[in-house]
Amino acid sequence: MSVVLRAHKLAKTFRIGFWRKKVVALRDATFDVNEHEVFGLIGPNGAGKTTTLKILTGLVKPDAGEGSLLGQPIGSVDARRHLGYLPEAPYFYEYLTVGELLHFYGGIFGMSRAERQKRIDELIEKVGLSHARDRPLRKFSKGMLQRAGLAQALIHDPQLVILDEPQTGLDPIGRTQVTRLIMELREQGKSVFFASHILPDVERVCDRVAVMFNGKVVGVGRLSELLKAQVLDVEILAEGLGAESRPEFEQLGCSWRDVDGEGGRVMLVAEDVKVGREAMSLVLQRGGAVRGYNERHEHLEDLFVRQANSEQEGAAATSGASGGA
Amino acid sequence: MIVLQKLFSIAANTFREAIRNRVLHAVLLMSFALVISSLAIGALSVENNARVIRDMGVTFINFTVIFVAIFSGVSLLQVELQRKTIYTIVTKPVARWLFIVGKFLGLAATLFVVQLLVSLVFALVIIARGDPFSGVIVQSLVLMFFEGALIAAVATVFSSFSTPVLSGVLTFGVFILGRLRGALYKYAELMKEEALATLIKGMGVVIPDLTLHRADIEVAYTIPLNWSFVAYTCTYSLAYTGVCLILAILIFSRRDFV
């Protein structure tokens, strides 16, 4: 499988304000995106996702590191020939209609008028803007602008599509449409690279992800590789237990929470499967009934929190060590 | 061929943006009104009101062209940056030089259309009075267009690194100094303070010589200009415009779009 996007040790420091204060936006972004895959770049706000995307698309020059798009070095005009890009919260020429906008971008790609017209008709239909075709973009809602942005990113049928927060500003229907569109692109053999903090959407469509924290890629791989395989905890919804049983369950290693108030249903949370099964037997022994059983596995959100905590601990350890030195 | 198509797309879009701008509509209406009002001002003059009308008309056209050149020129790149519309252009296979040149060509086309429309109204005023639309007026209009393009190029340079307001002030300053260049030179020659005289003369090298573009006396008294002088002035402004665009490209190419 060939690599369509490569980022190797990309780093960027911005200088802001009157005193040109240094702000490190990116320390080390290293990852590859393969052909025909949907690759997600995730991380909290300020992690360096947008800076990474801007470097890859030629908007920002890196201070260090290198990268390539479809075999061409980043920053070169050739690298952007087969690239479609949707910026975060896109802005367009507000006096144009969506059709005029797409004609303009098609012209930039050297497409003939007939070719453009055919593609524009298809895309406007696909992104669901047929009803607003003749409306100037200044009258578009945020979600509609996002759809227009997706259409412009796909105008020349690119091989690689880079999307920065494509679901932001969209309602649930819009988000589902974008997710479907990304899946469709994968089916068509395109490669999609997108940054997002809407984790359920990433989980739904990504083949692989890179996790970023503090300007650094801290993990790259399939979700199954990154997420812990073991059960995080076991939730048991029990009924018919008296309050006198509570110490027994707590002694076993289960937390106890009244769901419907005292005497009603109880949520028991066990730390592992073994304790969970023992708790279930105990429920039955005490004359209660089990209404629900759930083994909770790690999700992207948990991974996110785990990475954030380990980063914080790492930073604290480093500052502690340097303080002691 | 594709480069030309890209250039045309960017230029056409810049032109479309400019002609849909309501400020430009207002400026055009005001210019039409001013040019037509030269009829009334001419009628008030004691003698030779045709000369006054020609003088006033050409001045109003010049004012309009310079205003549009500065107003549109200073926002040419900054508006793209502020509205972030540039993100979707420079991430396409468009070199930054091509973007600048395309934008400038769109602005030049806007200047041309604006000047053409106001000049048509001026021509109608003259013809309606039964006066001849002499060749020197055409020569003056040609010089005016090239002056407008030069000022727009100066505005583009400032726009590539500063805010629209500051760019506007700086461009207007260059315009005034350019118009006074001849007088400043003469003043410098008479100066006793050598360092200051050298400084003024040095500025004269950088500041465009806009006195070349002034033909108001010739227009007022219908004295035809030499076409070789017109060609020289146009070549001079084209060269100056080219240097400004190269400078704007160099500055713009180094920028990060954060």
Side-chain angles (χ1 to χ4, degrees), chain B residues 43-57:
Chain B
L44 292 174
S45 69
V46 181
E47 53 175 329
N48 205 349
N49 55 13
R51 179 168 61 81
V52 175
I53 289 167
R54 277 198 302 273
D55 200 10
M56 300 291 287

Side-chain angles (χ1 to χ4, degrees), chain A:
Chain A
M1 194 175 279
S2 65
V3 172
V4 290
L5 186 157
R6 173 162 285 155
H8 182 70
K9 293 190 179 300
L10 293 176
K12 181 74 187 176
T13 299
F14 291 111
R15 287 179 177 274
I16 55 163
F18 184 77
W19 301 108
R20 315 293 292 152
K21 195 182 158 205
K22 280 184 181 180
V23 175
V24 181
L26 205 58
R27 293 164 206 276
D28 176 7
T30 301
F31 55 87
D32 289 343
V33 177
N34 297 321
E35 205 177 5
H36 313 310
E37 84 173 341
V38 177
F39 190 97
L41 183 62
I42 58 169
N45 293 336
K49 304 188 296 291
T50 296
T51 304
T52 305
L53 262 58
K54 283 185 175 174
I55 289 175
L56 292 169
T57 52
L59 286 165
V60 167
K61 291 181 180 72
D63 294 335
E66 52 194 32
S68 65
L69 297 179
L70 300 155
Q72 302 289 333
I74 51 169
S76 71
V77 170
D78 285 337
R80 304 193 291 267
R81 216 170 286 285
H82 302 286
L83 167 73
Y85 172 60
L86 169 71
E88 185 181 4
Y91 292 87
F92 299 110
Y93 301 98
E94 52 184 28
Y95 52 88
L96 297 181
T97 63
V98 65
E100 287 173 334
L101 182 85
L102 296 178
H103 264 294
F104 165 55
Y105 289 122
I108 284 181
F109 280 104
M111 293 165 75
S112 71
R113 193 161 185 91
E115 211 179 341
R116 272 182 270 163
Q117 195 55 60
K118 188 170 172 280
R119 184 78 180 140
I120 288 167
D121 291 342
E122 273 172 29
L123 282 172
I124 288 180
E125 181 71 37
K126 188 176 270 184
V127 298
L129 286 175
S130 304
H131 65 289
R133 213 188 155 115
D134 300 319
R135 206 183 295 173
L137 293 167
R138 66 171 168 270
K139 293 186 178 164
F140 271 32
S141 67
K142 203 174 167 192
M144 287 163 81
L145 282 174
Q146 192 79 347
R147 289 159 198 248
L150 277 166
Q152 67 79 30
L154 303 175
I155 184 73
H156 59 302
D157 197 18
Q159 277 173 258
L160 170 65
V161 184
I162 297 184
L163 312 168
D164 194 358
E165 304 284 355
Q167 281 106 336
T168 304
L170 296 178
D171 56 23
I173 298 169
R175 276 172 56 189
T176 311
Q177 276 177 339
V178 170
T179 306
R180 207 177 296 148
L181 192 71
I182 292 173
M183 285 168 165
E184 243 177 72
L185 288 169
R186 178 174 42 195
E187 279 162 26
Q188 288 166 14
K190 317 280 184 204
S191 312
V192 182
F193 173 56
F194 76 101
S196 182
H197 64 265
I198 302 177
L199 301 180
D201 292 332
V202 177
E203 251 178 331
R204 216 180 312 160
V205 293
C206 285
D207 298 308
R208 289 193 309 140
V209 295
V211 187
M212 280 194 98
F213 278 97
N214 292 331
K216 203 172 162 190
V217 171
V218 293
V220 183
R222 295 193 168 277
L223 283 172
S224 54
E225 293 163 3
L226 292 173
L227 300 175
K228 278 184 176 170
Q230 79 256 31
V231 174
L232 287 179
D233 52 37
V234 177
E235 294 170 334
I236 301 158
L237 185 64
E239 203 174 50
L241 291 175
E244 67 282 357
S245 317
R246 185 171 180 157
E248 276 185 280
F249 284 98
E250 283 176 347
Q251 210 170 4
L252 202 61
C254 280
S255 69
W256 171 293
R257 184 164 59 85
D258 292 315
V259 178
D260 306 323
E262 215 171 308
R265 288 181 302 167
V266 171
M267 177 63 80
L268 301 165
V269 181
E271 279 171 10
D272 58 48
V273 178
K274 188 171 162 275
V275 176
R277 291 202 177 132
E278 284 171 8
M280 245 191 339
S281 309
L282 192 60
V283 170
L284 299 173
Q285 280 170 29
R286 296 289 170 264
V290 174
R291 295 290 175 225
Y293 178 86
N294 177 35
E295 288 179 0
R296 211 166 61 82
H297 290 266
E298 189 176 56
H299 284 267
L300 212 41
E301 219 161 88
D302 304 301
L303 169 74
F304 221 66
V305 174
R306 176 157 58 89
Q307 290 284 6
N309 289 340
S310 84
E311 281 292 310
Q312 270 169 4
E313 280 164 22
T318 313
S319 65
S322 57

Side-chain angles (χ1 to χ4, degrees), chain B residues 160-179:
Chain B
S160 64
F161 64 86
S162 68
T163 62
V165 175
L166 185 60
S167 302
V169 171
L170 291 171
T171 311
F172 189 67
V174 169
F175 171 70
I176 295 294
L177 287 173
R179 278 288 174 100

